[in-house]
């Protein structure tokens, strides 16, 4: 049975099975420099962005626990959430994406649950993120996690699309 689990977060980690038994597993771990190429591919495909490769290592060094990678059974990344803590008391989701082939199986949910737990452990009280107003899939996931829209960011994205800033308490 396919499933996702979280080594770093023992306990009742949520997972979702599939019927055919052939789905790969995904395990949460921290970022490794060898993940870089795969993560940049996921970013290019899912977020249509290209960031300076050095950014990932720099942000990982600043808050290693805030950079979560979901890896398959061969330890290849299938999704990740890169969180930063640049504002006191606040964790911000800077990048969050799951490989297209691995979506809708609970990987994004697992990553977000773990991120919020890392925020709590760090003593942060609020989590924030930005999302394109057209990104219904992500907005639905965030709403399930009790994020609400706190601001409309006009022309926030490089192609001129508006964004929502969303936030929630993490206590
Ligand atoms: C957003 C994203 C990370 C979600 O990852 P995921 O692993 O597919 O998420 P999950 O399987 O945990 O889905 C959790 C819930 O989110 C919502 N959701 C996810 N994908 C959805 C879709 N395509 N349409 C509608 N709702 C969706 C659903 O409520 C879903 O629960 P359900 O399957 O029980 O209905 C993924 O779609 C992705 O990488 N998208 C491209 C990059 C992106 O938009 N990132 C966010 C930038 S702000």
């Amino acid at each position: 049975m396919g499933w996702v689990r979280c080594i770093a977060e023992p306990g009742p980690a949520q997972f979702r099975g599939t019927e055919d038994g052939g789905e790969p597993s995904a395990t949460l771990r921290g970022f490794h420099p060898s993940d870089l190429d795969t993560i940049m591919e996921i970013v290019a495909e899912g977020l249509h962005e290209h960031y300076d490769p050095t950014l990932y290592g720099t942000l990982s060094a600043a808050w290693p626990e805030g950079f979560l990678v979901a890896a398959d059974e061969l330890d290849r990344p299938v999704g990740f959430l890169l969180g930063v803590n640049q504002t006191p008391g606040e964790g911000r989701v800077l990048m969050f994406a799951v490989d297209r082939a691995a979506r809708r199986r609970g990987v994004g949910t697992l990553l977000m649950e773990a991120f919020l737990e890392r925020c709590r452990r760090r003593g942060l009280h609020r989590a924030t993120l930005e999302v394109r107003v057209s990104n219904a899939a992500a907005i639905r996931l965030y709403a399930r996690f009790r994020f609400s829209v706190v601001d409309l960011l006009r022309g926030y994205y490089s192609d001129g699309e508006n964004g929502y800033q969303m936030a929630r308490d993490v206590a």
Side-chain angles (χ1 to χ4, degrees):
M1 179 164 171
W3 44 275
V4 292
R5 75 163 185 264
C6 177
I7 283 178
E9 304 286 339
Q14 285 192 1
F15 62 87
R16 185 173 309 177
T18 54
E19 302 300 319
D20 63 27
E23 299 293 344
S25 62
T27 303
L28 288 201
R29 60 166 173 74
F31 170 73
H32 302 158
S34 57
D35 297 333
L36 192 57
D37 288 348
T38 308
I39 284 181
M40 287 180 72
E41 283 170 23
I42 294 172
V43 169
E45 189 276 325
L47 300 174
H48 309 289
E49 297 285 356
H50 177 85
Y51 298 98
D52 187 317
T54 62
L55 179 74
Y56 298 89
T58 303
L59 294 175
S60 171
W63 182 20
E65 296 78 18
F67 195 161
L68 291 143
V69 173
D72 68 11
E73 73 273 27
L74 297 176
D75 204 34
R76 291 176 306 214
V78 294
F80 77 104
L81 188 158
L82 203 181
V84 295
N85 173 208
Q86 293 168 333
T87 302
E90 190 172 294
R92 176 177 167 219
V93 178
L94 194 66
M95 290 183 230
F96 177 37
V98 172
D99 185 90
R100 186 175 290 282
R103 286 182 198 160
R104 222 62 202 268
R105 284 195 244 143
V107 174
T109 297
L110 193 74
L111 285 162
M112 182 58 76
E113 283 174 346
F115 175 68
L116 293 170
E117 179 55 28
R118 303 291 165 90
C119 287
R120 273 182 216 108
R121 276 198 225 157
R122 197 171 169 87
L124 306 181
H125 57 81
R126 185 174 140 98
T128 66
L129 56 88
E130 294 82 29
V131 60
R132 287 178 182 269
V133 296
S134 65
N135 193 345
I139 291 170
R140 185 161 165 195
L141 187 155
Y142 299 145
R144 287 177 66 147
F145 274 93
R146 296 190 294 106
F147 280 88
S148 14
V149 173
V150 293
D151 204 2
L152 174 66
L153 309 169
R154 292 190 188 281
Y156 182 76
Y157 291 94
S158 49
D159 60 3
E161 182 170 352
N162 293 340
Y164 290 128
Q165 184 175 50
M166 301 183 77
R168 60 160 278 178
D169 292 339
V170 295

